[in-house]
Amino acid sequence: GDSVTQMEGPVTLSEEAFLTINCTYTATGYPSLFWYVQYPGEGLQLLLKATKADDKGSNKGFEATYRKETTSFHLEKGSVQVSDSAVYFCALAYTGRRALTFGSGTRLQVQP
Amino acid sequence: KAGVTQTPRYLIKTRGQQVTLSCSPISGHRSVSWYQQTPGQGLQFLFEYFSETQRNKGNFPGRFSGRQFSNSRSEMNVSTLELGDSALYLCASSPDVTSTDTQYFGPGTRLTVL
């Protein structure tokens, strides 16, 4: 079956540091890939997505590239802010199906 | 446009009881999905509804059920509650199911089973 593996957290960074959160996936087909973010006490928000190999999703300074050869979708940001502190989830889903398969989540803590 | 709303936000029940959670999607959205979030199992897909029909169901026992109404509002029901059902239940809506539309999540209902 399909699965998503994320790096263990928490990830603790100082403000303005470079962020990478690793995500790899196992899929039987050709899914779309997503990064969702969950702030404390809130639901999930879509951060970015990529629907096919070599696509790059980007939003709010975050980027991730769909790498089919390495089955990866790593999240990066050049300069994190305290307000980026949250839990980040990598996920996959197939076109026409709503069922998202999520990774375990990575908690990011950014210190001033 | 109002976001996805879920009611109630918090719920406390005892083992053996049943519970009904409600989700109102964004206006115009016809697809509703439900997820369970627990510290141990993470986020798991429960089921998906579109035009009052269940399209997919996750790997959960039959105690978990749901339905969707003609106005796209959805409810999920858990019967004979167990301690392990304590979780944050998230609802997500999207316009339709023909593409990889963004799913918009509600704030969730936190269920505690004592």
Side-chain angles (χ1 to χ4, degrees):
Chain A
D2 299 336
S3 65
V4 176
T5 302
Q6 288 181 237
M7 61 189 290
E8 292 283 333
V11 173
T12 303
L13 296 173
S14 298
E15 206 165 23
E16 299 184 3
F18 184 86
L19 168 71
T20 299
I21 299 178
N22 290 337
C23 170
T24 57
Y25 66 90
T26 302
T28 53
Y30 302 98
S32 295
L33 301 175
F34 305 83
W35 277 101
Y36 279 86
V37 59
Q38 187 173 36
Y39 297 101
E42 298 184 13
L44 298 168
Q45 299 176 26
L46 178 67
L47 184 58
L48 53 84
K49 69 179 183 182
T51 58
K52 61 183 186 298
D54 300 325
D55 269 2
K56 177 186 282 188
S58 61
N59 185 27
K60 300 181 181 179
F62 291 90
E63 292 183 340
T65 301
Y66 190 164
R67 301 285 189 200
K68 185 181 172 186
E69 63 276 11
T70 55
T71 61
S72 64
F73 193 54
H74 305 321
L75 182 68
E76 296 182 335
K77 187 177 185 183
S79 176
V80 294
Q81 305 300 312
V82 172
S83 57
D84 293 328
S85 298
V87 181
Y88 292 80
F89 293 92
C90 185
L92 65 81
Y94 293 94
T95 299
R97 299 186 61 185
R98 304 293 90 182
L100 286 157
T101 299
F102 286 94
S104 56
T106 301
R107 181 176 300 278
L108 170 65
Q109 299 173 339
V110 181
Q111 299 175 336
Chain B
K1 212 180 232 187
V4 178
T5 57
Q6 293 187 244
T7 57
R9 291 293 310 276
Y10 302 91
L11 206 48
I12 299 175
K13 292 287 187 180
T14 57
R15 279 182 299 174
Q17 289 186 308
Q18 74 166 22
V19 67
T20 299
L21 312 181
S22 180
C23 170
S24 292
I26 292 172
S27 178
H29 285 194
R30 298 191 295 160
S31 171
V32 173
S33 298
W34 289 88
Y35 295 83
Q36 181 195 64
Q37 185 176 23
T38 61
Q41 299 298 316
L43 279 155
Q44 295 185 288
F45 169 75
L46 277 158
F47 21 65
E48 169 201 344
Y49 287 89
F50 179 75
S51 293
E52 302 178 66
T53 301
Q54 186 180 94
R55 298 183 73 242
N56 282 301
K57 189 176 193 298
N59 188 25
F60 279 83
R63 300 185 296 107
F64 291 81
S65 63
R67 59 178 174 170
Q68 186 181 33
F69 302 95
S70 58
N71 62 359
S72 295
R73 190 178 69 85
S74 178
E75 289 181 347
M76 66 163 283
N77 184 276
V78 188
S79 62
T80 319
L81 285 166
E82 301 177 358
L83 295 178
D85 297 334
S86 294
L88 180 67
Y89 289 89
L90 294 166
C91 165
S93 77
S94 58
D96 61 37
V97 295
T98 58
S99 64
T100 315
D101 291 328
T102 297
Q103 294 188 57
Y104 297 86
F105 282 80
T109 294
R110 184 162 297 281
L111 171 66
T112 301
V113 182
L114 302 176

